[in-house]
Amino acid sequence: MNAKKDLGQNFLVDNVVIEKITNEINATKNDLIIEIGPGYGALTSILKKTEANIIAYEIDTDLKIYLSKYEDNLTKIIYQDFLKSNIKEDIKNIKYDKLFIIGNLPYYITTPIIEKITKEELIFEKLVIMVQKEVADRFVAINKTKDYGYITLYLKYYYDIKRLMNVSKNSFKPVPKVESTVLLFLQRKDKPNVDKEKYFSFLKECFKQKRKTLRNNVSSKDFEIIKDLLKTSGLNENIRAEEINEDLFIKIVNNI
Ligand code: SAH
């Protein structure tokens, strides 16, 4: 196996892990699976057993000689940067019931990939993605912990995220520097009732300087209103953004 560092190539070689991840994709022949970064096909080969349609995006054309054996009338590999792909166009001729998205990808594009999937507004059954453990900790953090921040709340607006398993470095070749975690994203059906642009820009403001109090991160005009809301929630007015849960943030944004 050749691995290109600049493409974040760390291939899964642990069959137990491969089995567990692909088991999460409970697709049937009426479904569609989008795989991002198939590599040598460690996940693809198992996913094919579902008999679902598979569309895989792989940026590295040198892998063609290894991946072409998986291609048939159900499985198509698109050699392109996933971030530049036109997913809706690529899947427009495929009829499917449920959509599953899966990827074990370079960690430096984790957030752009999730953002792309989010902005495409695809409806999917499950998104299963391998991320760096520290990143997973931030994605699923709860308030009053150091990992809780803008990205936690941004993702929480759209998804219920569950940690499926931690994966040791030794499950990959070449062995990466960091530990990994497999996450499951489910689309929320009960999205918070708030103007999302206003909400996200307010959150950015609040978490601008993490160590500062909320008072110091927002405008004094806003803080006058926030102060009262904190009081009614029984909270100190010198609170920091990381202590505030989603419900209260929503309440605040709906009042300023
Ligand atoms: N899923 C395979 C490969 C993991 S390595 C496995 O688990 O073994 C990550 C893969 O993502 C590599 O094949 C790499 O070439 C590919 N990749 C990296 N950046 C990409 C991008 N922007 N779009 C699509 N694939 C990408």
Side-chain angles (χ1 to χ4, degrees):
M1 270 184 188
N2 276 317
K4 296 179 184 159
K5 239 187 173 166
D6 57 332
L7 291 180
Q9 294 183 341
N10 296 97
F11 302 102
L12 267 171
V13 291
D14 182 332
N15 285 327
V16 176
V17 174
I18 291 169
E19 196 69 26
K20 274 197 193 159
I21 298 174
T22 49
N23 263 343
E24 197 58 41
I25 306 294
N26 52 325
T28 70
K29 63 175 178 24
N30 302 319
D31 299 331
L32 170 63
I33 302 171
I34 294 179
E35 188 187 354
I36 314 165
Y40 283 87
L43 303 174
T44 328
S45 58
I46 312 289
L47 292 170
K48 280 185 78 72
K49 292 184 191 163
T50 62
E51 293 178 37
N53 268 292
I54 301 178
I55 298 273
Y57 292 92
E58 174 53 64
I59 200 170
D60 185 1
T61 48
D62 288 347
L63 293 168
K64 252 184 199 170
I65 45 168
Y66 306 96
L67 282 173
S68 61
K69 68 169 174 282
Y70 300 115
E71 288 203 86
D72 53 28
N73 58 337
L74 288 177
T75 303
K76 187 175 171 194
I77 320 269
I78 299 176
Y79 291 92
Q80 193 188 6
D81 179 347
F82 175 74
L83 296 175
K84 296 189 181 136
S85 65
N86 184 345
I87 309 173
K88 288 211 173 110
E89 182 64 26
D90 296 336
I91 66 176
K92 74 167 192 253
N93 292 324
I94 303 173
K95 285 206 175 58
Y96 62 88
D97 286 345
K98 292 179 191 149
L99 171 65
F100 295 83
I101 308 174
I102 182 166
N104 163 31
L105 277 145
Y107 296 149
Y108 57 82
I109 52 170
T110 300
T111 308
I113 282 178
I114 296 169
E115 271 169 359
K116 178 171 171 74
I117 294 169
T118 305
K119 288 190 180 131
E120 294 269 340
E121 296 185 329
L122 299 162
I123 296 170
F124 60 78
E125 184 72 9
K126 286 180 178 182
L127 162 66
V128 175
I129 189 166
M130 177 92 72
V131 308
Q132 184 176 334
K133 188 180 167 296
E134 287 73 18
V135 172
D137 292 342
R138 274 190 264 137
F139 285 4
V140 302
I142 49 167
N143 61 319
K144 300 181 187 167
T145 63
K146 69 166 176 31
D147 290 323
Y148 184 77
Y150 172 79
I151 194 72
T152 319
L153 286 153
Y154 169 81
L155 292 174
K156 195 181 175 67
Y157 173 84
Y158 295 100
Y159 307 109
D160 284 321
I161 308 177
K162 202 175 130 197
R163 193 192 297 268
L164 289 180
M165 64 171 143
N166 291 330
V167 181
S168 147
K169 300 172 189 186
N170 301 315
S171 300
F172 301 88
K173 254 194 186 123
V175 178
K177 289 199 181 72
V178 294
E179 298 292 326
S180 302
T181 297
V182 181
L183 293 178
L184 167 66
F185 285 58
L186 300 176
Q187 284 172 317
R188 260 176 96 168
K189 294 192 179 74
D190 60 332
K191 283 210 204 78
N193 192 1
V194 66
D195 173 339
K196 74 172 188 246
E197 302 313 323
K198 187 177 171 193
Y199 178 45
F200 295 151
S201 72
F202 179 73
L203 288 175
K204 266 190 193 140
E205 220 177 295
C206 292
F207 286 97
K208 206 166 39 193
Q209 309 219 40
K210 273 199 89 172
R211 264 172 306 202
K212 284 197 177 173
T213 60
L214 192 63
R215 183 204 294 274
N216 282 311
N217 276 333
V218 304
S219 76
S220 49
K221 183 176 132 279
D222 284 350
F223 196 73
E224 278 311 303
I225 303 163
I226 296 169
K227 206 161 76 178
D228 291 337
L229 290 171
L230 291 175
K231 213 179 204 171
T232 38
S233 305
L235 295 165
N236 188 295
E237 62 180 68
N238 294 320
I239 202 166
R240 267 179 266 137
E242 68 186 44
E243 295 172 71
I244 299 177
N245 67 18
E246 183 188 55
D247 282 349
L248 185 52
F249 267 123
I250 301 291
K251 206 166 168 186
I252 291 173
V253 175
N254 283 333
N255 278 282
I256 55 174

